[in-house]
Amino acid sequence: MHNLAILSRDTTLYMTLLEEAQLPFLALILADNKLPESFDYSQVDILFGDPDLTAQVVNRCSNLKWLQSTWAGNAALFALDKNNYQLCGVKGVFQQAMQEYVFAYLLYFSRNLAGFNQAQKHKIWAAPTYQSLAGKTLGIMGVGDIGQAVAKMAKQFSMKTRGYTRTTNNCEYIDQYYTYDDTQAFAAGLDYLVCLLPQSSETTGLIDQKFLSYLPQHCVLINAGRGTTIVDNALIDAIKNQALQAAVLDVFEHEPLPEHHPYWQLDNIYVTQHTAAESLPEDIFPIFSENYRRYINGLTLQHLLDFNKGY
Amino acid sequence: MHNLAILSRDTTLYMTLLEEAQLPFLALILADNKLPESFDYSQVDILFGDPDLTAQVVNRCSNLKWLQSTWAGNAALFALDKNNYQLCGVKGVFQQAMQEYVFAYLLYFSRNLAGFNQAQKHKIWAAPTYQSLAGKTLGIMGVGDIGQAVAKMAKQFSMKTRGYTRTTNNCEYIDQYYTYDDTQAFAAGLDYLVCLLPQSSETTGLIDQKFLSYLPQHCVLINAGRGTTIVDNALIDAIKNQALQAAVLDVFEHEPLPEHHPYWQLDNIYVTQHTAAESLPEDIFPIFSENYRRYINGLTLQHLLDFNKGY
């Protein structure tokens, strides 16, 4: 028998899915969205849950063999010293949501929907200006499965694409790759920039005053990776000085975004509530289920993460 | 020698392009965006211009052999009795613009950009609801080259597609075809409806009270075909009674849209100024140029329109 603990905001949904799946040799010994202090975590060999919750008990799980995360961002788990277990992420489930989020805003700005809305309010027939995405250049920071899906959609809209990456260089939808040494060359000439980078020592503070100064004034920045990548004050200055057209922010250093934070009220800053690509239990559970099948059959788990790389 | 008259809002741009092209055996005898009364139109054998302008002089062009239109909509020319000349439309140049227009609004509604904007204004971290386009059904009225391009993009966003057509039935991006006899079956269950139909006796008033009653309440209607397809009062009633979520209107029975028209001010009506897919001289001129080459070589012209069909 294997002993499973589920710790997630979506515990109820995951329990339903688990019951329906009837996985063999599996005992559910904890399913909660809080962290019971009295529980004997040393019984657990499999943890399945949200990284921010599981990170708070993982050190107490002395017999943990495998942790299946429910989210794409696992910084909370990488921040701990403990690494004597298999940590699995989730892949292949966020592409469509991220494509829709990114292109909703790219088209909102390029087709100038706000401008048309204003013209209508004033009953002005003369049309506001707008542009096509065709021929425009989209920079994509982080070219994993999500970044590649965004690049693929960019090609459907006849855009040029640049990838900013440490490792990947074989995506057919990226016209040109840039490494962390080519930051200026990457940023110069971008019409749109989408950041999908995970949180790590390398990405923290990467988009700073210097980085922003390389971007053209008309560039629109979308951050749907992690909030720590951006130096908030530098971005606020760039927006206030009109050195950047707009920023769409889905992630923040502190979430929920504190009420006093300038991002809430700045013109040309668009706040969304870490909703660009959400984890849906119906998408995530099949990943757990397939990995459990592999686990009991001694096969290599899917979406294994690397404690050295941090992703 | 052939005698060419250009009548277009973009005359200046077309003249520049014409000079650069240096087409053989071609004399430009008129280039204007007004209609000179004193001009001897009987000299003209080739007309190149906007349908609303050329329609006003075409009866006077007694030796006209070929008219190259600059627009997709040519109702003004079909409305005349004269049909003893070759009338050519423009194709293959509006797909990208229409894809961007349609998906800018589909994503605006599905990702609830207005709701997120409101939440930001009130500094609310709890996220508004939104939906994915994936699995949603898009109805496309008019499945010519533009409708097919919209269907292709719908497939990129994993949508289901229905085509409403008299004739076409071979587009790989349309899941199911409906004819004018299947109106109710076509409309029922649509999440989004895009109308791209030309103006004709069959399409005038097609989207009436009955048609609208077939659509689900949450459906969003986009009309980027011709304004006469919609019965304005029926649409206004449907919007006021919340029998329809929203309508995005790019075309109107009378353009410019009169200042007193209710469309300007109704909640959930979005007015754009016949800008969904505009004719750009740099896109249109190559069509004229290629057709002129064919004309002087006695070859069949491209994008020939049919006076009997009206498109």
Side-chain angles (χ1 to χ4, degrees), chain B residues 110-148:
Chain B
S110 67
R111 291 287 314 199
N112 190 10
L113 262 52
F116 277 88
N117 191 25
Q118 278 302 307
Q120 179 176 355
K121 270 189 185 157
H122 297 100
K123 301 186 181 183
I124 296 168
W125 182 258
T129 56
Y130 63 89
Q131 296 196 298
S132 173
L133 291 181
K136 297 292 188 299
T137 302
L138 173 67
I140 301 171
M141 301 176 80
V143 196
D145 61 336
I146 298 176
Q148 293 182 32

Side-chain angles (χ1 to χ4, degrees), chain A residues 96-101 103-105 107-108 110-111 113 116-117 119-128 130-134 152-153 156-158 250-252 254-257 259-261 263-266 269-278, chain B residues 96-101 103-105 107-108 110-111 113 116-117 119-128 130-134 152-153 156-158 250-252 254-257 259-261 263-266 269-278:
Chain A
Q96 167 103 15
M98 196 62 86
Q99 286 174 329
E100 295 187 24
Y101 180 83
F103 282 87
Y105 283 99
L107 289 165
Y108 178 84
S110 67
R111 292 286 315 198
L113 262 53
F116 277 88
N117 191 25
Q120 180 175 355
K121 272 191 184 153
H122 297 101
K123 302 186 181 183
I124 296 168
W125 181 259
Y130 63 89
Q131 295 196 298
S132 172
L133 291 181
K152 183 180 179 189
M153 191 59 79
Q156 295 299 323
F157 284 103
S158 306
D250 189 51
V251 287
F252 306 92
H254 301 288
E255 295 181 10
L257 183 65
E259 212 185 303
H260 59 78
H261 201 289
Y263 282 158
W264 283 115
Q265 295 196 83
L266 263 178
I269 295 270
Y270 291 72
V271 168
T272 59
Q273 295 87 347
H274 204 143
T275 51
E278 294 180 284
Chain B
Q96 166 103 16
M98 197 61 86
Q99 287 174 328
E100 295 186 25
Y101 180 82
F103 282 87
Y105 283 99
L107 289 165
Y108 178 83
S110 67
R111 291 287 314 199
L113 262 52
F116 277 88
N117 191 25
Q120 179 176 355
K121 270 189 185 157
H122 297 100
K123 301 186 181 183
I124 296 168
W125 182 258
Y130 63 89
Q131 296 196 298
S132 173
L133 291 181
K152 184 181 179 188
M153 191 58 79
Q156 295 300 323
F157 284 102
S158 304
D250 188 51
V251 287
F252 307 91
H254 301 289
E255 297 181 8
L257 183 64
E259 210 184 304
H260 58 80
H261 202 289
Y263 282 159
W264 281 117
Q265 295 195 82
L266 263 176
I269 294 269
Y270 291 73
V271 169
T272 59
Q273 295 87 348
H274 205 143
T275 50
E278 294 181 286

Side-chain angles (χ1 to χ4, degrees), chain A residues 137-141 162-164 176-194 206-221 243-244:
Chain A
T137 301
L138 173 66
I140 302 172
M141 300 176 79
R162 294 182 184 177
Y164 187 76
Q176 209 165 350
Y177 282 100
Y178 297 80
T179 67
Y180 283 29
D181 300 328
D182 303 325
T183 302
Q184 183 164 7
F186 168 72
L190 292 182
D191 300 297
Y192 302 93
L193 170 60
V194 175
L206 183 63
I207 300 182
D208 57 6
Q209 192 273 328
K210 196 165 183 180
F211 186 104
L212 291 167
S213 74
Y214 299 146
L215 295 172
Q217 207 174 359
H218 68 268
C219 187
V220 173
L221 161 65
L244 199 66

